Amino acid sequence: MISTAQELHPAPVLEQGRTILELRGLEKRYPGTHALKPVDLAFKSGEIHAIVGENGAGKSTLIKLLTGVMPRTSGEIVWEGQPAALATPHEAMALGINAVHQEVVLCRHLTVAANMFLGEENSRFGILQQRAMVRQAQTIIDDLGFDLPAHVTLGDLTIGQQQLIAAARATVRGTKFLIFDEPTAYLTRKEADQLFTLIRRLKGEGVTIIYISHRMEEVFELADRVSVLRDGTLVGTRNIAETNDAELVKMMINRSIEQVYHKEHFTPGAAIIEARNLSGKGFENVSMTVRAGEIVGLYGLIGAGRSEFVTTLYGRHRKSAGQILWEGKEVQVNSEHDAIKLGMALAPESRRDQGLCLNLPVGFNLNLPIYKRISNNLLISSTQEKTQADRQIADLRIKTPTRGALASSLSGGNQQKIVIGKWLAHGAKLFIFDEPTVGVDVGTKAEIYRLFGALLSKGAGIILISSYLPEVYELADTLHVFRRGKLVATHGFHAASHEDILTQALAEKQEKLGGQI
Amino acid sequence: MSTEAIAVEKPKRNYNVLFGLTLLALLVLLWILLSVTTTSFASANNIANLLRQGSMIAIMAVGQTFVIITGGIDLSVGAVVGFATVVVAMMINAGFPIWLAILVTLLVGVAIGMFHGFGIVKMGLPPFIITLATLTSLRGIGLLMTNGNSININSDTFTAFSRNSFIGIPNLFWMVILVGIPAYIFLHHSRWGRYLFSVGSNAEASRLSGVNVQRTIYMAYTLSGLCAAFVGVLLAARIGIGNPTQAEGWELQAIASSVIGGTSLFGAVGSVHGPLLGAFILATINNGANLLNVNSFWQRIITGALIIIIVYFDGLRRRGK
């Protein structure tokens, strides 16, 4: 009755190199979008198959079809020679198809062990065998070489550690086909290494691994084959030994870097904002100036203090020391309201959590910062409300049926245009863009970058925060590098190499590598 | 461009109007049914009575809706009504002019609402908790003040108001119009109304867009408290006594009216006309059930079933959109 870790583990019985899952003309349409055009692809057991592509290329759609989260429009999925309906997640799991998502989808309030056995609890006469489960979970975790306790609450672990637990969980369920969706997004290098060890081990046991990542170096480190998706089309599949970075990028975006990053240079004007020795929660002693007509890029890893710095400028957090000067005069920015009154605008990092009122109309979202202006003391001018919203929709080419459509019904790129667009009518002088192109396709990216140029030409200044180096590298007139709360380096446009900037951003992180998780 | 803009606005407005019309149709249907099946329903007396019954819940439901749109809930309104009857009764009996007694009572409602705002914004308490605490403690304070007795109001001018009519319509119903029109303008045509919606949809995004979220929350609960205190004044006038245990369970009727009127308990969806119609639908069901000699226990069951049916169909349609 009491199962051991051995029983829970998939025994290495799967035959290597045999086709386990085959897609035949797999296709998915949403109303208005052709998310996945007919795809033919075969996955072999015991291979690590990377799938790369820009955001919106169809990767998530493919995962959702394979894990039974969504029904396909047409085509066939053949599992071990038999056509499979894959209509429900349950069916996918029963076949042995599992996924580890970028965001941990587990119960944070339960223990690690409870999460490992969620849905397959070990019970005797209806009573949970809690101690036995903790013991088994611990055995599995130790076996995988993760130095983590099984009895603690999952939420007490770091996101990276939770991710490892999610991966461990997927391995104990007789998994034959495991999808990793950007698993390393929140992992430290050491955690990532542990994960890679786990992935290679599963491969050795004959499990098929689908590895989705934006990080080319990981693809080349791990994968046997790589498939490229672009705009819902499978562009091609390559053996990893027979391809290179440049080829994959070209396949992914089908255009050169110059076409995406349309950079206009303006002569910088007067200083708009200046931070002098500014310190606050998460960063210290940062000084920088943003002048009219220039893009100031802030590069660094997540948690390096970039976002904290700008939200302090924006009055979200209190500064602990230093000064903020606006157009040469010292100012106190105690709230977002103060910042907006001065002429700042912030397009935040997470459009869902911070940027948009999703269940309200597009027009409402666009007008939110300017309702004060388009109303007299009492009433809103409904004509102005309409014309302002329609103008932004037209200028930004936001693809929406009407201004009355809910923001949630738009695609990520168009939602991002709203987050940015709502500030255009406001007439701000300083625009702060925090990761403006996350989850946005290349076409929209190019449009957003062109928008930057339009703002600069009107005499605005821009602070651009990005974790994606090419973006800040190609666009920023001045590039500041953050590491662990400090501004560690400043470069002019194209004045340093990618490698130098990366080293500056990572240096301390690498020193820490030998340490504990 | 302009023709396109008009065409563009239609779907959403249609939906709101359609939902409002559906409720109105339901109300009219109930009235027709009751007029046919009972002899007494269509009498002037009964209609006036129905309007009086519905009016007070309707006014509370409007205030409640403001709160629910921000994603909150105000459980205290029934207790505020009871407490307000005590305050206004004590002041009138103490010889204060009626206008002053009413004014002070309304200010008490404002103060209670501000206190809720304080608890939510400054103390970080969930709306459910802070208003639940007020619900129980206000009844207690009222009982302490009255020693558990009812206070008979000794001013006929005051009590006559709620019995009288103006051009054939009961004064109490005029009060619904007095509250409803400014509330409609406030919610649908002022920027503060927009901010209620935006805070209910995404407080963080609103704050980053320059909306004063804290002030918006204060405003919603203050208006709810004010509406409830106003209903307390009306109730005191109607029954001629001040008693802190009055209006037991009215908060649930107010919430039910609001929800039947299309307000989403998840916030960011709601109107003024919806809760008003909702309140009169509930009042009609109660009135009709009395006239039809339906066991009054059934009224509660019917109300519950109605909430489920209306909200279910509303949700279906929203999802289908």
Side-chain angles (χ1 to χ4, degrees):
Chain A
M1 178 70 218
I2 293 172
S3 42
T4 64
Q6 249 62 42
E7 282 174 40
L8 283 160
H9 243 282
V13 290
L14 301 172
E15 192 191 329
Q16 299 276 340
R18 164 182 65 93
T19 296
I20 184 162
L21 185 128
E22 197 180 343
L23 312 177
R24 291 183 190 156
L26 187 68
E27 186 178 8
K28 177 71 190 178
R29 285 172 193 272
Y30 297 108
T33 5
H34 202 168
L36 197 63
K37 290 160 195 155
V39 166
D40 293 290
L41 189 56
F43 300 101
K44 293 180 219 156
S45 60
E47 79 163 333
I48 301 178
H49 195 126
I51 294 179
V52 296
E54 287 282 311
N55 291 304
K59 291 173 297 176
S60 357
T61 306
L62 183 61
I63 301 174
K64 284 179 186 161
L65 296 180
L66 289 179
T67 50
V69 173
M70 272 183 343
R72 56 184 177 261
T73 311
S74 67
E76 262 194 325
I77 299 177
V78 181
W79 173 259
E80 298 191 313
Q82 302 289 322
L86 283 182
T88 63
H90 190 81
E91 190 191 340
M93 275 181 233
L95 291 177
I97 300 176
N98 262 305
V100 176
H101 298 279
Q102 180 182 352
E103 313 281 340
V104 179
V105 275
L106 292 175
C107 307
R108 288 162 191 281
H109 296 92
L110 302 181
T111 64
V112 168
N115 272 293
M116 295 268 288
F117 294 102
L118 195 64
E120 298 179 358
E121 284 82 359
N122 180 358
S123 63
R124 183 177 288 168
F125 310 120
I127 308 292
L128 283 179
Q129 303 295 301
Q130 304 216 33
R131 257 179 299 178
M133 285 199 290
V134 170
R135 232 181 4 249
Q136 288 169 30
Q138 191 67 61
T139 316
I140 294 163
I141 293 170
D142 292 347
D143 194 35
L144 292 170
F146 301 162
D147 181 21
L148 296 170
H151 62 272
V152 299
T153 307
L154 186 74
D156 292 344
L157 303 180
T158 67
I159 301 288
Q161 292 167 338
Q162 293 181 27
Q163 190 69 266
L164 291 178
I165 296 299
R169 178 183 135 90
T171 66
V172 300
R173 309 193 158 219
T175 299
K176 294 180 194 163
F177 192 94
L178 187 53
I179 302 166
F180 287 93
D181 185 6
E182 301 219 31
T184 55
Y186 299 108
L187 299 194
T188 65
R189 183 63 221 182
K190 189 184 173 199
E191 287 164 347
D193 282 339
Q194 290 187 322
L195 184 71
F196 292 170
T197 312
L198 168 65
I199 290 174
R200 290 202 184 92
R201 178 176 162 159
L202 290 169
K203 167 189 155 79
E205 290 169 358
V207 176
T208 309
I209 309 285
I210 304 295
Y211 193 85
I212 290 169
S213 179
H214 281 306
R215 300 185 180 173
M216 283 298 162
E217 66 276 13
E218 292 180 356
V219 170
F220 282 96
E221 187 179 338
L222 271 180
D224 303 310
R225 290 199 296 163
V226 53
S227 291
V228 182
L229 284 173
R230 183 180 70 229
D231 300 332
T233 311
L234 178 67
V235 187
T237 301
R238 299 277 183 277
N239 286 325
I240 206 75
E242 293 159 15
T243 185
N244 57 42
D245 214 355
E247 187 193 14
L248 292 184
V249 169
K250 181 128 197 314
M251 286 164 81
M252 272 162 63
I253 63 177
N254 196 26
R255 63 179 105 184
S256 68
I257 291 202
E258 291 73 39
Q259 281 173 298
V260 178
Y261 300 105
H262 177 77
K263 171 70 184 165
E264 292 174 66
H265 292 274
F266 298 93
T267 322
I272 295 173
I273 196 166
E274 185 183 349
R276 278 192 194 155
N277 306 104
L278 199 67
S279 297
K281 191 174 152 267
F283 67 95
E284 55 184 310
N285 203 15
V286 173
S287 300
M288 69 173 67
T289 307
V290 183
R291 293 168 295 175
E294 74 168 343
I295 297 181
V296 172
L298 307 188
Y299 178 72
L301 301 175
I302 289 168
R306 310 160 306 170
S307 298
E308 290 79 1
F309 170 71
V310 292
T311 47
T312 305
L313 282 185
Y314 199 64
R316 184 82 182 85
H317 303 292
R318 290 297 176 91
K319 64 172 199 258
S320 57
Q323 293 174 301
I324 300 172
L325 281 79
W326 181 264
E327 296 180 329
K329 285 189 287 278
E330 187 175 359
V331 287
Q332 298 301 325
V333 189
N334 293 323
S335 66
E336 296 87 347
H337 198 74
D338 290 353
I340 291 163
K341 256 204 310 220
L342 284 171
M344 291 188 222
L346 172 73
E349 191 176 353
S350 161
R351 56 178 170 265
R352 289 188 163 264
D353 296 341
Q354 306 170 303
L356 285 176
C357 296
L358 281 171
N359 57 352
L360 291 173
V362 171
F364 187 112
N365 276 287
L366 284 168
N367 283 323
L368 190 53
I370 57 163
Y371 270 122
K372 197 163 192 172
R373 185 137 46 84
I374 59 173
S375 62
N376 59 22
N377 286 327
L378 185 63
L379 299 182
I380 291 170
S381 154
S382 57
T383 9
Q384 276 213 49
E385 194 179 17
K386 283 174 200 156
T387 49
Q388 288 286 2
D390 285 338
R391 182 189 305 157
Q392 299 302 343
I393 291 170
D395 285 358
L396 293 160
R397 285 181 277 167
I398 298 173
K399 279 183 213 139
T400 172
T402 73
R403 91 178 87 80
L406 299 186
S408 56
S409 67
L410 270 57
S411 73
N414 284 299
Q415 288 181 352
Q416 189 64 28
K417 287 187 193 170
I418 302 176
V419 174
I420 294 171
K422 68 176 171 186
W423 293 110
L424 299 187
H426 186 261
K429 285 184 190 143
L430 177 72
F431 290 83
I432 304 169
F433 295 112
D434 195 350
E435 305 279 7
T437 59
V438 168
V440 161
D441 60 67
V442 183
T444 311
K445 265 189 190 175
E447 281 185 55
I448 289 174
Y449 299 148
R450 254 189 286 280
L451 196 67
F452 290 178
L455 292 173
L456 296 177
S457 72
K458 288 184 200 151
I462 292 176
I463 298 180
L464 171 65
I465 301 180
S466 183
S467 308
Y468 185 54
L469 185 53
E471 181 168 276
V472 267
Y473 190 78
E474 299 299 332
L475 291 170
D477 298 288
T478 310
L479 176 56
H480 298 293
V481 183
F482 276 69
R483 186 179 72 221
R484 309 201 72 202
K486 294 200 177 82
L487 204 169
V488 291
T490 299
H491 308 285
F493 182 71
H494 279 198
S497 68
H498 276 218
E499 290 71 27
D500 289 346
I501 296 169
L502 265 174
T503 316
Q504 285 158 356
L506 294 170
E508 247 168 296
K509 205 101 180 177
Q510 283 170 344
E511 285 159 28
K512 267 185 58 191
L513 262 184
Q516 86 294 7
I517 296 176
Chain B
M1 182 76 212
S2 62
T3 49
E4 199 182 294
I6 290 163
V8 144
E9 183 67 3
K10 262 183 178 165
K12 184 180 141 53
R13 192 171 282 170
N14 269 353
Y15 173 74
N16 270 339
V17 170
L18 207 66
F19 185 72
L21 285 178
T22 316
L23 287 179
L24 193 62
L26 182 64
L27 187 59
V28 171
L29 185 76
L30 282 171
W31 284 352
I32 293 172
L33 274 177
L34 288 169
S35 312
V36 176
T37 50
T38 68
T39 46
S40 43
F41 181 81
S43 69
N45 214 356
N46 185 57
I47 293 291
N49 196 28
L50 169 68
L51 290 182
R52 288 196 186 97
Q53 276 177 5
S55 294
M56 289 189 278
I57 299 293
I59 294 171
M60 286 167 79
V62 168
Q64 184 71 250
T65 300
F66 292 156
V67 168
I68 296 178
I69 286 174
T70 68
I73 192 96
D74 189 349
L75 295 178
S76 74
V77 287
V80 174
V81 171
F83 187 70
T85 64
V86 173
V87 174
V88 77
M90 285 178 109
M91 285 196 67
I92 288 173
N93 284 3
F96 288 100
I98 290 174
W99 66 266
L100 184 62
I102 293 174
L103 183 69
V104 168
T105 309
L106 295 182
L107 287 177
V108 166
V110 166
I112 294 167
M114 299 277 277
F115 173 69
H116 291 151
F118 176 82
I120 293 160
V121 166
K122 300 289 180 200
M123 298 169 73
L125 297 172
F128 189 95
I129 298 300
I130 180 87
T131 57
L132 180 68
T134 315
L135 159 71
T136 147
S137 46
L138 264 188
R139 300 256 189 227
I141 295 170
L143 287 168
L144 275 181
M145 284 167 65
T146 58
N147 250 334
N149 301 320
S150 288
I151 305 167
N152 289 304
I153 298 172
N154 55 21
S155 160
D156 286 338
T157 343
F158 181 65
T159 49
F161 174 81
S162 62
R163 287 194 301 272
N164 291 343
S165 296
F166 177 66
I167 51 173
I169 292 168
N171 282 348
L172 284 183
F173 188 76
W174 283 112
M175 293 301 110
V176 175
I177 294 168
L178 184 77
V179 171
I181 290 174
Y184 179 83
I185 293 170
F186 170 80
L187 186 64
H188 296 290
H189 292 285
S190 84
R191 64 189 160 95
W192 300 288
R194 292 288 196 280
Y195 295 163
L196 289 177
F197 284 100
S198 81
V199 168
S201 176
N202 189 337
E204 184 65 15
S206 307
R207 182 174 323 177
L208 292 174
S209 300
V211 174
N212 192 327
V213 174
Q214 303 200 344
R215 195 161 55 189
T216 306
I217 288 173
Y218 268 108
M219 188 173 68
Y221 286 87
T222 303
L223 288 173
S224 180
L226 178 63
C227 284
F230 183 56
V231 171
V233 171
L234 299 181
L235 180 66
R238 183 150 193 241
I239 59 178
I241 57 170
N243 184 328
T245 59
Q246 282 297 324
E248 191 94 55
W250 282 22
E251 60 278 346
L252 297 182
Q253 290 199 46
I255 294 167
S257 305
S258 188
V259 167
I260 288 174
T263 315
S264 161
L265 285 173
F266 297 109
V269 178
S271 66
V272 167
H273 56 270
L276 294 181
L277 287 168
F280 285 103
I281 288 174
L282 283 186
T284 304
I285 290 172
N286 289 343
N287 179 282
N290 282 338
L291 296 180
L292 290 168
N293 278 328
V294 175
N295 185 331
S296 74
F297 301 153
W298 274 104
Q299 296 173 19
R300 294 171 181 240
I301 298 170
I302 293 168
T303 309
L306 192 71
I307 292 173
I308 294 173
I309 292 167
I310 292 185
V311 175
Y312 174 70
F313 279 107
D314 188 34
L316 269 193
R317 200 150 40 165
R318 276 176 211 285
R319 259 172 279 150
K321 232 169 39 138

